[in-house]
Amino acid sequence: MFDERLRSHHDAEHTLDTLLGRPKGHLNRVFNMKPWTAVTKKLSLPPPPPEKSGNTDRGIYIHVPHCDKLCSFCGLNRKERKNTDLDAYAGYIAEEIKAFGAFPYIREAPFNSVYFGGGTPTVFTVGQFALVFDALRRHIPLADDCEITVESTQHNLDAEKARTLAEFGVNRFSIGIQTFSDRGRKILGRTYGGEKAYDELLSLRAALDGTLCIDIIYSYPDQSIEEIEQDAEICVSSGIDSVSFYSLMVNKGSALARSIEAGETRFVRDIESDRERHNIFYNRLTAAGFTLLELSKLVRPGRDAYKYIQIQYGNGDLVPVGSGAGGRLAGFGIYSMSPGRRFVSPLGAEYAIYYRMLGELQFGLYDPARLARFLGPAAEQAIVEKARELSGPGFLVQDGSGWRLTPDGVFWGNNIAVEVLKAAIGAKKGKKTHA
Ligand code: SF4
Protein backbone atom coordinates (compact mmCIF):
# COMPACT_ATOMS: atom_id res chain seq x y z
CA MET A 1 0.00 0.00 0.00
CA PHE A 2 2.88 2.36 0.73
CA ASP A 3 5.92 2.69 -1.56
CA GLU A 4 8.38 3.81 1.06
CA ARG A 5 8.36 3.54 4.82
CA LEU A 6 8.50 6.74 6.88
CA ARG A 7 10.80 5.50 9.64
CA SER A 8 10.47 8.30 12.15
CA HIS A 9 8.32 11.08 13.43
CA HIS A 10 10.70 13.49 11.68
CA ASP A 11 10.05 11.81 8.33
CA ALA A 12 6.32 12.25 8.92
CA GLU A 13 6.88 15.85 9.96
CA HIS A 14 8.76 16.59 6.75
CA THR A 15 5.96 15.03 4.71
CA LEU A 16 3.49 17.19 6.60
CA ASP A 17 5.58 20.27 5.75
CA THR A 18 5.29 19.42 2.07
CA LEU A 19 1.57 18.80 2.45
CA LEU A 20 1.13 22.24 3.99
CA GLY A 21 3.25 23.79 1.23
CA ARG A 22 6.00 24.88 3.58
CA PRO A 23 9.78 24.61 3.37
CA LYS A 24 10.87 21.13 4.44
CA GLY A 25 11.62 20.93 8.13
CA HIS A 26 10.28 24.33 9.05
CA LEU A 27 8.28 23.07 12.00
CA ASN A 28 11.22 22.79 14.36
CA ARG A 29 13.62 24.93 12.47
CA VAL A 30 14.09 28.41 11.18
CA PHE A 31 11.05 29.96 9.50
CA ASN A 32 9.92 33.54 9.59
CA MET A 33 12.68 34.48 12.03
CA LYS A 34 12.04 36.88 14.91
CA PRO A 35 14.40 38.53 17.40
CA TRP A 36 14.96 36.89 20.78
CA THR A 37 13.22 39.89 22.40
CA ALA A 38 9.94 38.64 20.87
CA VAL A 39 10.26 35.65 23.21
CA THR A 40 11.50 37.53 26.27
CA LYS A 41 8.51 39.88 25.98
CA LYS A 42 6.22 36.87 26.45
CA LEU A 43 8.45 35.38 29.16
CA SER A 44 8.10 38.59 31.19
CA LEU A 45 4.43 37.71 31.77
CA PRO A 46 3.10 34.82 33.88
CA PRO A 47 2.29 31.61 31.95
CA PRO A 48 -1.34 31.35 30.72
CA PRO A 49 -3.64 29.21 32.87
CA PRO A 50 -3.76 25.56 31.68
CA GLU A 51 -7.34 25.86 30.42
CA LYS A 52 -6.17 28.58 28.00
CA SER A 53 -2.93 26.98 26.82
CA GLY A 54 -4.58 23.53 26.58
CA ASN A 55 -1.51 21.96 28.10
CA THR A 56 -0.47 21.70 31.70
CA ASP A 57 2.84 19.84 31.53
CA ARG A 58 6.08 21.51 30.52
CA GLY A 59 9.70 20.54 30.43
CA ILE A 60 13.32 21.57 30.04
CA TYR A 61 15.59 20.03 27.44
CA ILE A 62 19.34 20.25 28.20
CA HIS A 63 21.63 19.37 25.31
CA VAL A 64 25.17 18.07 25.84
CA PRO A 65 26.48 17.54 22.29
CA HIS A 66 29.77 15.87 23.19
CA CYS A 67 30.62 12.17 22.80
CA ASP A 68 33.81 10.32 23.68
CA LYS A 69 33.76 8.77 20.23
CA LEU A 70 31.32 8.91 17.35
CA CYS A 71 29.25 5.85 16.43
CA SER A 72 29.31 4.88 12.76
CA PHE A 73 25.58 5.35 12.09
CA CYS A 74 24.81 8.42 14.17
CA GLY A 75 23.23 11.50 12.65
CA LEU A 76 22.36 13.28 15.88
CA ASN A 77 23.54 16.76 16.72
CA ARG A 78 26.83 15.76 18.37
CA LYS A 79 30.59 16.16 18.10
CA GLU A 80 33.63 14.37 19.38
CA ARG A 81 34.55 15.57 22.83
CA LYS A 82 38.33 15.77 22.24
CA ASN A 83 39.71 18.61 24.41
CA THR A 84 36.40 20.36 25.11
CA ASP A 85 36.40 22.28 28.39
CA LEU A 86 33.39 20.57 29.98
CA ASP A 87 33.67 22.68 33.15
CA ALA A 88 33.02 25.71 30.97
CA TYR A 89 30.14 23.95 29.17
CA ALA A 90 28.47 22.94 32.46
CA GLY A 91 28.92 26.55 33.64
CA TYR A 92 27.21 27.82 30.47
CA ILE A 93 24.29 25.43 31.03
CA ALA A 94 23.96 26.61 34.64
CA GLU A 95 23.97 30.27 33.51
CA GLU A 96 21.29 29.59 30.87
CA ILE A 97 19.10 27.91 33.50
CA LYS A 98 19.56 30.89 35.80
CA ALA A 99 18.70 33.33 32.98
CA PHE A 100 15.51 31.44 32.06
CA GLY A 101 14.56 31.15 35.74
CA ALA A 102 14.53 34.94 36.08
CA PHE A 103 11.38 35.22 33.91
CA PRO A 104 7.89 35.04 35.48
CA TYR A 105 6.74 32.72 32.66
CA ILE A 106 9.28 30.16 33.86
CA ARG A 107 9.13 30.84 37.61
CA GLU A 108 5.39 30.86 38.12
CA ALA A 109 4.35 27.32 37.17
CA PRO A 110 5.98 23.96 37.85
CA PHE A 111 8.03 21.89 35.41
CA ASN A 112 7.22 18.21 35.03
CA SER A 113 10.20 16.99 33.04
CA VAL A 114 13.91 17.67 32.71
CA TYR A 115 15.64 15.81 29.90
CA PHE A 116 19.42 15.65 29.47
CA GLY A 117 19.98 14.59 25.86
CA GLY A 118 22.83 14.57 23.44
CA GLY A 119 25.41 13.62 22.42
CA THR A 120 26.22 11.95 25.69
CA PRO A 121 25.29 13.95 28.81
CA THR A 122 27.28 11.56 31.01
CA VAL A 123 30.54 12.95 29.63
CA PHE A 124 29.90 15.35 32.52
CA THR A 125 31.63 14.39 35.75
CA VAL A 126 29.62 14.16 38.95
CA GLY A 127 30.94 17.63 39.87
CA GLN A 128 29.74 19.12 36.58
CA PHE A 129 26.31 17.52 37.04
CA ALA A 130 26.23 18.93 40.59
CA LEU A 131 26.69 22.44 39.22
CA VAL A 132 23.80 22.00 36.76
CA PHE A 133 21.48 20.44 39.37
CA ASP A 134 22.27 23.26 41.79
CA ALA A 135 21.13 25.76 39.13
CA LEU A 136 17.98 23.72 38.41
CA ARG A 137 17.00 23.53 42.09
CA ARG A 138 17.69 27.23 42.69
CA HIS A 139 16.07 28.74 39.64
CA ILE A 140 13.41 26.38 38.26
CA PRO A 141 10.21 25.29 40.07
CA LEU A 142 10.43 21.53 39.58
CA ALA A 143 7.25 19.58 40.33
CA ASP A 144 7.54 17.09 43.22
CA ASP A 145 7.10 14.24 40.74
CA CYS A 146 9.27 15.80 38.06
CA GLU A 147 10.64 13.18 35.65
CA ILE A 148 14.40 13.72 35.29
CA THR A 149 16.01 11.77 32.47
CA VAL A 150 19.68 11.36 31.61
CA GLU A 151 20.71 9.76 28.32
CA SER A 152 23.94 7.82 28.38
CA THR A 153 26.14 5.31 26.68
CA GLN A 154 27.36 2.44 28.85
CA HIS A 155 31.05 3.20 29.08
CA ASN A 156 30.66 6.47 30.96
CA LEU A 157 27.88 5.45 33.34
CA ASP A 158 28.78 2.80 35.90
CA ALA A 159 26.58 1.80 38.83
CA GLU A 160 28.31 4.19 41.25
CA LYS A 161 27.88 7.25 39.01
CA ALA A 162 24.26 6.25 38.30
CA ARG A 163 23.54 6.02 42.06
CA THR A 164 25.03 9.49 42.60
CA LEU A 165 22.91 10.92 39.79
CA ALA A 166 19.86 9.25 41.35
CA GLU A 167 20.70 11.09 44.59
CA PHE A 168 20.66 14.34 42.57
CA GLY A 169 17.11 13.45 41.48
CA VAL A 170 17.60 11.56 38.22
CA ASN A 171 14.78 9.01 38.12
CA ARG A 172 14.96 7.88 34.51
CA PHE A 173 18.03 6.61 32.66
CA SER A 174 18.02 6.09 28.90
CA ILE A 175 20.94 3.96 27.76
CA GLY A 176 22.04 3.63 24.16
CA ILE A 177 22.85 -0.05 23.61
CA GLN A 178 21.55 -0.67 20.05
CA THR A 179 22.28 -4.42 20.01
CA PHE A 180 23.88 -7.15 22.08
CA SER A 181 25.32 -8.83 18.99
CA ASP A 182 29.13 -8.56 18.79
CA ARG A 183 28.93 -8.34 15.02
CA GLY A 184 26.21 -5.69 15.10
CA ARG A 185 28.04 -3.63 17.70
CA LYS A 186 31.14 -3.60 15.56
CA ILE A 187 29.18 -2.39 12.51
CA LEU A 188 27.50 0.32 14.57
CA GLY A 189 30.79 1.43 16.14
CA ARG A 190 29.78 0.75 19.75
CA THR A 191 32.17 0.47 22.66
CA TYR A 192 32.26 -2.99 24.36
CA GLY A 193 31.28 -6.41 23.03
CA GLY A 194 27.80 -7.84 23.55
CA GLU A 195 28.60 -9.75 26.74
CA LYS A 196 30.13 -6.76 28.48
CA ALA A 197 27.16 -4.61 27.37
CA TYR A 198 24.84 -7.21 28.93
CA ASP A 199 26.82 -7.41 32.21
CA GLU A 200 26.93 -3.61 32.51
CA LEU A 201 23.18 -3.42 31.95
CA LEU A 202 22.50 -5.95 34.73
CA SER A 203 24.80 -4.04 37.05
CA LEU A 204 22.91 -0.78 36.35
CA ARG A 205 19.57 -2.53 36.89
CA ALA A 206 20.74 -3.85 40.26
CA ALA A 207 21.90 -0.38 41.29
CA LEU A 208 18.79 1.59 40.29
CA ASP A 209 15.18 1.65 41.47
CA GLY A 210 14.20 4.29 38.90
CA THR A 211 13.16 3.80 35.32
CA LEU A 212 15.74 2.12 33.11
CA CYS A 213 15.24 2.37 29.33
CA ILE A 214 17.43 1.19 26.51
CA ASP A 215 17.66 1.86 22.77
CA ILE A 216 17.72 -0.99 20.26
CA ILE A 217 18.39 -0.73 16.52
CA TYR A 218 17.12 -3.43 14.17
CA SER A 219 17.71 -4.07 10.46
CA TYR A 220 21.40 -3.18 10.59
CA PRO A 221 23.51 -4.71 7.79
CA ASP A 222 22.89 -8.46 7.48
CA GLN A 223 21.17 -8.71 10.88
CA SER A 224 20.06 -12.32 11.30
CA ILE A 225 16.77 -13.47 12.78
CA GLU A 226 18.75 -14.99 15.69
CA GLU A 227 20.33 -11.61 16.41
CA ILE A 228 17.01 -9.75 16.66
CA GLU A 229 15.53 -12.62 18.71
CA GLN A 230 18.46 -12.45 21.11
CA ASP A 231 18.04 -8.67 21.54
CA ALA A 232 14.33 -9.18 22.25
CA GLU A 233 15.03 -11.94 24.79
CA ILE A 234 17.50 -9.75 26.68
CA CYS A 235 15.00 -6.87 26.77
CA VAL A 236 12.48 -9.24 28.33
CA SER A 237 14.81 -10.92 30.82
CA SER A 238 17.10 -8.10 31.96
CA GLY A 239 14.51 -6.21 34.00
CA ILE A 240 14.53 -3.00 31.95
CA ASP A 241 11.41 -0.85 32.08
CA SER A 242 11.15 0.29 28.48
CA VAL A 243 12.82 0.11 25.11
CA SER A 244 12.99 2.47 22.16
CA PHE A 245 13.40 0.43 18.98
CA TYR A 246 14.38 1.86 15.62
CA SER A 247 15.06 0.54 12.17
CA LEU A 248 18.59 1.62 11.28
CA MET A 249 18.74 4.98 9.55
CA VAL A 250 21.87 5.40 7.50
CA ASN A 251 22.54 9.08 7.87
CA LYS A 252 24.17 10.88 4.99
CA GLY A 253 27.81 11.64 5.71
CA SER A 254 28.07 9.15 8.61
CA ALA A 255 30.97 6.70 8.73
CA LEU A 256 28.55 3.85 8.00
CA ALA A 257 27.12 5.63 4.94
CA ARG A 258 30.67 6.16 3.63
CA SER A 259 31.54 2.53 4.27
CA ILE A 260 28.43 1.35 2.39
CA GLU A 261 29.14 3.72 -0.50
CA ALA A 262 32.74 2.46 -0.70
CA GLY A 263 31.48 -1.14 -0.85
CA GLU A 264 33.20 -2.05 2.44
CA THR A 265 29.89 -2.80 4.17
CA ARG A 266 27.11 -4.67 2.41
CA PHE A 267 23.67 -3.24 3.18
CA VAL A 268 20.64 -4.62 1.40
CA ARG A 269 17.36 -4.03 3.14
CA ASP A 270 13.91 -4.58 1.74
CA ILE A 271 10.60 -3.72 3.33
CA GLU A 272 9.74 -7.34 4.05
CA SER A 273 12.95 -8.09 5.98
CA ASP A 274 12.56 -4.81 7.88
CA ARG A 275 8.94 -5.65 8.74
CA GLU A 276 9.87 -9.19 9.79
CA ARG A 277 12.51 -7.96 12.26
CA HIS A 278 10.21 -5.24 13.58
CA ASN A 279 7.40 -7.71 14.20
CA ILE A 280 9.63 -10.36 15.80
CA PHE A 281 10.83 -7.78 18.29
CA TYR A 282 7.43 -6.18 18.83
CA ASN A 283 5.56 -9.46 19.24
CA ARG A 284 8.12 -10.94 21.66
CA LEU A 285 7.98 -7.92 23.95
CA THR A 286 4.20 -7.51 23.87
CA ALA A 287 3.86 -11.24 24.61
CA ALA A 288 5.96 -10.58 27.72
CA GLY A 289 3.62 -7.79 28.87
CA PHE A 290 5.19 -4.67 27.34
CA THR A 291 2.70 -2.21 25.83
CA LEU A 292 3.03 0.42 23.12
CA LEU A 293 3.64 3.92 24.46
CA GLU A 294 4.47 5.46 21.09
CA LEU A 295 5.43 4.13 17.68
CA SER A 296 9.01 3.33 18.65
CA LYS A 297 8.57 2.78 22.39
CA LEU A 298 7.45 -0.29 24.36
CA VAL A 299 7.07 -0.05 28.12
CA ARG A 300 6.30 -2.26 31.08
CA PRO A 301 2.93 -0.93 32.32
CA GLY A 302 3.37 1.61 35.09
CA ARG A 303 7.16 1.71 34.82
CA ASP A 304 7.78 4.53 32.32
CA ALA A 305 5.44 7.49 31.88
CA TYR A 306 7.92 9.16 29.48
CA LYS A 307 6.56 12.60 30.30
CA TYR A 308 9.14 14.25 28.08
CA ILE A 309 7.67 12.72 24.93
CA GLN A 310 4.12 13.42 26.12
CA ILE A 311 5.08 17.10 26.37
CA GLN A 312 6.93 17.01 23.06
CA TYR A 313 4.04 15.44 21.13
CA GLY A 314 1.41 17.40 23.08
CA ASN A 315 2.91 20.75 22.00
CA GLY A 316 3.82 21.69 25.58
CA ASP A 317 6.54 24.19 26.44
CA LEU A 318 10.06 22.76 26.27
CA VAL A 319 12.78 25.18 27.36
CA PRO A 320 15.87 24.63 25.17
CA VAL A 321 19.12 24.84 27.14
CA GLY A 322 22.58 24.34 25.69
CA SER A 323 24.30 24.48 22.35
CA GLY A 324 22.23 22.63 19.76
CA ALA A 325 19.06 22.44 21.88
CA GLY A 326 15.73 22.83 20.15
CA GLY A 327 12.52 23.67 21.99
CA ARG A 328 9.23 25.46 22.01
CA LEU A 329 8.28 28.24 24.36
CA ALA A 330 5.36 30.69 24.65
CA GLY A 331 4.27 30.06 21.06
CA PHE A 332 7.75 30.20 19.49
CA GLY A 333 10.00 27.49 18.09
CA ILE A 334 13.56 28.08 19.33
CA TYR A 335 16.88 26.64 18.30
CA SER A 336 19.94 27.52 20.41
CA MET A 337 23.17 27.57 18.44
CA SER A 338 25.74 28.79 20.95
CA PRO A 339 25.86 31.27 23.85
CA GLY A 340 23.74 34.26 22.84
CA ARG A 341 22.81 32.87 19.39
CA ARG A 342 19.27 31.62 19.01
CA PHE A 343 16.93 31.21 16.08
CA VAL A 344 13.34 32.04 16.86
CA SER A 345 10.19 31.57 14.78
CA PRO A 346 6.51 31.91 15.72
CA LEU A 347 4.75 28.57 15.54
CA GLY A 348 1.38 29.73 14.23
CA ALA A 349 -2.11 28.32 14.73
CA GLU A 350 -1.91 25.84 11.84
CA TYR A 351 1.34 24.43 13.19
CA ALA A 352 -0.24 24.00 16.62
CA ILE A 353 -3.18 22.01 15.27
CA TYR A 354 -1.45 19.77 12.74
CA TYR A 355 1.70 19.19 14.73
CA ARG A 356 -0.36 18.26 17.73
CA MET A 357 -2.47 15.87 15.67
CA LEU A 358 0.70 14.29 14.31
CA GLY A 359 1.97 14.02 17.88
CA GLU A 360 -1.22 12.30 19.04
CA LEU A 361 -1.00 9.84 16.15
CA GLN A 362 2.36 8.68 17.52
CA PHE A 363 0.62 6.95 20.42
CA GLY A 364 -1.03 4.27 18.27
CA LEU A 365 -4.64 5.08 19.20
CA TYR A 366 -7.03 6.64 16.72
CA ASP A 367 -9.99 8.35 18.34
CA PRO A 368 -11.63 10.38 15.52
CA ALA A 369 -13.57 12.72 17.80
CA ARG A 370 -10.49 13.53 19.84
CA LEU A 371 -8.25 13.88 16.80
CA ALA A 372 -10.62 16.15 14.95
CA ARG A 373 -11.58 18.36 17.90
CA PHE A 374 -9.76 21.33 16.37
CA LEU A 375 -10.98 20.75 12.82
CA GLY A 376 -14.70 20.03 13.11
CA PRO A 377 -17.20 17.33 12.00
CA ALA A 378 -16.05 17.07 8.34
CA ALA A 379 -12.55 16.16 9.49
CA GLU A 380 -13.93 13.68 12.02
CA GLN A 381 -15.93 11.90 9.32
CA ALA A 382 -12.89 11.85 7.02
CA ILE A 383 -10.78 10.27 9.80
CA VAL A 384 -13.45 7.61 10.40
CA GLU A 385 -13.51 6.77 6.68
CA LYS A 386 -9.72 6.65 6.46
CA ALA A 387 -9.48 4.44 9.58
CA ARG A 388 -12.03 2.01 8.08
CA GLU A 389 -10.04 1.94 4.84
CA LEU A 390 -6.79 1.25 6.72
CA SER A 391 -8.35 -1.54 8.76
CA GLY A 392 -8.90 -3.41 5.45
CA PRO A 393 -5.21 -4.33 4.97
CA GLY A 394 -4.97 -5.01 8.72
CA PHE A 395 -3.20 -1.87 9.97
CA LEU A 396 -5.93 -0.88 12.44
CA VAL A 397 -8.48 -2.77 14.53
CA GLN A 398 -11.60 -1.29 16.08
CA ASP A 399 -11.23 -0.56 19.78
CA GLY A 400 -14.29 1.00 21.45
CA SER A 401 -15.15 4.22 19.64
CA GLY A 402 -11.75 4.35 17.96
CA TRP A 403 -9.06 2.19 16.37
CA ARG A 404 -5.77 0.72 17.55
CA LEU A 405 -2.68 -0.04 15.47
CA THR A 406 -1.82 -3.70 14.86
CA PRO A 407 1.90 -4.73 14.79
CA ASP A 408 1.94 -4.06 11.03
CA GLY A 409 0.17 -0.77 11.73
CA VAL A 410 2.91 0.19 14.19
CA PHE A 411 5.52 -0.66 11.54
CA TRP A 412 3.77 1.67 9.06
CA GLY A 413 2.67 4.05 11.82
CA ASN A 414 4.15 7.25 10.43
CA ASN A 415 2.80 6.57 6.93
CA ILE A 416 -0.63 5.92 8.43
CA ALA A 417 -0.43 9.11 10.51
CA VAL A 418 0.28 11.13 7.37
CA GLU A 419 -2.61 9.48 5.47
CA VAL A 420 -5.02 10.25 8.30
CA LEU A 421 -3.78 13.82 8.54
CA LYS A 422 -4.08 14.26 4.78
CA ALA A 423 -7.70 13.08 4.96
CA ALA A 424 -8.47 15.42 7.88
CA ILE A 425 -6.78 18.43 6.29
CA GLY A 426 -8.44 17.72 2.93
CA ALA A 427 -11.87 17.54 4.58
CA LYS A 428 -11.23 20.74 6.51
CA LYS A 429 -10.24 22.51 3.30
CA GLY A 430 -13.10 20.93 1.37
CA LYS A 431 -10.91 18.65 -0.80
CA LYS A 432 -10.97 14.93 -1.33
CA THR A 433 -7.58 13.20 -0.84
CA HIS A 434 -6.35 9.80 -1.92
CA ALA A 435 -3.80 7.49 -0.32
S1 SF4 B 1 24.85 7.23 19.11
FE1 SF4 B 1 25.06 8.40 21.01
S2 SF4 B 1 27.16 7.99 21.69
FE2 SF4 B 1 27.06 7.39 19.53
S3 SF4 B 1 27.74 9.24 18.41
FE3 SF4 B 1 25.51 9.31 18.52
S4 SF4 B 1 25.05 10.56 20.34
FE4 SF4 B 1 27.22 9.89 20.47
Side-chain angles (χ1 to χ4, degrees), residues 350 353-354 357 369-380 383 420-421 423-429:
E350 199 178 40
I353 292 171
Y354 297 135
M357 284 179 79
R370 186 178 156 77
L371 283 169
R373 64 196 184 283
F374 305 110
L375 299 179
E380 183 177 339
I383 293 171
V420 168
L421 266 174
I425 293 169
K428 170 75 181 166
K429 296 187 174 173

Side-chain angles (χ1 to χ4, degrees), residues 56-361:
T56 50
D57 282 0
R58 51 193 203 151
I60 298 181
Y61 176 77
I62 299 173
H63 193 66
V64 184
H66 315 94
C67 298
D68 288 330
K69 75 172 187 110
L70 300 185
C71 302
S72 67
F73 63 94
C74 183
L76 295 174
N77 184 353
R78 83 293 182 254
K79 56 189 171 190
E80 211 169 341
R81 166 191 180 168
K82 293 189 176 157
N83 297 320
T84 305
D85 181 349
L86 290 174
D87 280 341
Y89 191 73
Y92 153 57
I93 297 274
E95 282 303 315
E96 288 242 291
I97 290 169
K98 182 178 173 189
F100 274 116
F103 290 106
Y105 190 96
I106 302 293
R107 257 194 340 258
E108 294 184 16
F111 280 80
N112 316 83
S113 164
V114 176
Y115 194 99
F116 288 84
T120 316
T122 47
V123 293
F124 276 166
T125 61
V126 163
Q128 288 156 352
F129 268 116
L131 185 77
V132 174
F133 273 99
D134 183 57
L136 280 169
R137 301 272 175 214
R138 275 173 196 264
H139 303 295
I140 306 291
L142 301 181
D144 290 344
D145 61 350
C146 184
E147 176 187 275
I148 303 182
T149 302
V150 169
E151 284 183 353
S152 183
T153 57
Q154 291 189 289
H155 71 271
N156 51 23
L157 183 71
D158 59 17
E160 190 186 335
K161 188 171 181 180
R163 269 193 291 261
T164 307
L165 294 183
E167 281 165 21
F168 289 165
V170 178
N171 47 27
R172 189 172 180 278
F173 289 85
S174 176
I175 314 294
I177 289 183
Q178 319 311 354
T179 177
F180 293 93
S181 149
D182 285 336
R183 201 185 60 80
R185 294 182 68 80
K186 207 164 158 206
I187 292 169
L188 299 176
R190 303 299 292 175
T191 306
Y192 297 161
E195 201 173 320
K196 173 87 169 151
Y198 177 68
D199 291 345
E200 290 289 322
L201 179 64
L202 293 190
S203 152
L204 266 187
R205 177 68 292 176
L208 295 170
D209 294 329
T211 302
L212 182 60
C213 333
I214 69 171
D215 286 356
I216 289 290
I217 285 178
Y218 61 91
S219 292
Y220 53 76
D222 288 337
Q223 184 187 33
S224 67
I225 296 298
E226 291 72 30
E227 284 170 324
I228 186 67
E229 284 175 345
Q230 182 196 47
D231 285 347
E233 284 310 320
I234 292 176
C235 288
V236 168
S237 66
S238 58
I240 59 162
D241 300 302
S242 68
V243 55
S244 294
F245 62 118
Y246 309 96
S247 179
L248 176 68
M249 284 186 254
V250 181
N251 292 289
K252 218 171 164 188
S254 64
L256 183 57
R258 288 197 300 276
S259 172
I260 292 168
E261 276 160 28
E264 294 154 7
T265 302
R266 196 182 84 98
F267 186 43
V268 185
R269 173 173 57 190
D270 56 38
I271 287 292
E272 188 44 39
S273 72
D274 199 24
R275 190 184 74 89
E276 184 181 18
R277 281 151 185 76
H278 172 276
N279 285 3
I280 286 171
F281 190 85
Y282 183 91
N283 288 334
R284 177 66 188 103
L285 268 77
T286 50
F290 283 72
T291 56
L292 186 76
L293 189 140
E294 53 107 4
L295 294 178
S296 56
K297 184 73 153 180
L298 289 161
V299 301
R300 282 191 202 277
R303 287 294 302 169
D304 187 5
Y306 204 4
K307 288 183 193 174
Y308 168 74
I309 209 73
Q310 309 269 3
I311 294 168
Q312 173 83 277
Y313 290 159
N315 257 6
D317 280 334
L318 268 179
V319 182
V321 175
S323 178
R328 188 191 308 115
L329 198 48
F332 291 92
I334 302 165
Y335 182 71
S336 296
M337 288 288 287
S338 53
R341 282 190 74 207
R342 293 187 183 94
F343 292 120
V344 170
S345 58
L347 298 175
E350 199 178 40
Y351 164 94
I353 292 171
Y354 297 135
Y355 188 83
R356 189 158 182 173
M357 284 179 79
L358 180 60
E360 290 201 11
L361 291 170

Side-chain angles (χ1 to χ4, degrees), residues 12-80:
E13 199 178 272
H14 294 163
T15 310
L16 181 61
D17 289 344
T18 310
L19 193 64
L20 297 173
R22 303 196 168 211
K24 191 175 175 188
H26 91 281
L27 290 174
N28 278 329
R29 297 181 187 85
V30 187
F31 186 70
N32 188 16
M33 274 178 61
K34 298 284 179 216
W36 178 237
T37 47
V39 180
T40 56
K41 212 169 143 192
K42 290 272 179 90
L43 298 187
S44 301
L45 304 169
E51 60 274 16
K52 198 161 173 213
S53 69
N55 208 314
T56 50
D57 282 0
R58 51 193 203 151
I60 298 181
Y61 176 77
I62 299 173
H63 193 66
V64 184
H66 315 94
C67 298
D68 288 330
K69 75 172 187 110
L70 300 185
C71 302
S72 67
F73 63 94
C74 183
L76 295 174
N77 184 353
R78 83 293 182 254
K79 56 189 171 190
E80 211 169 341

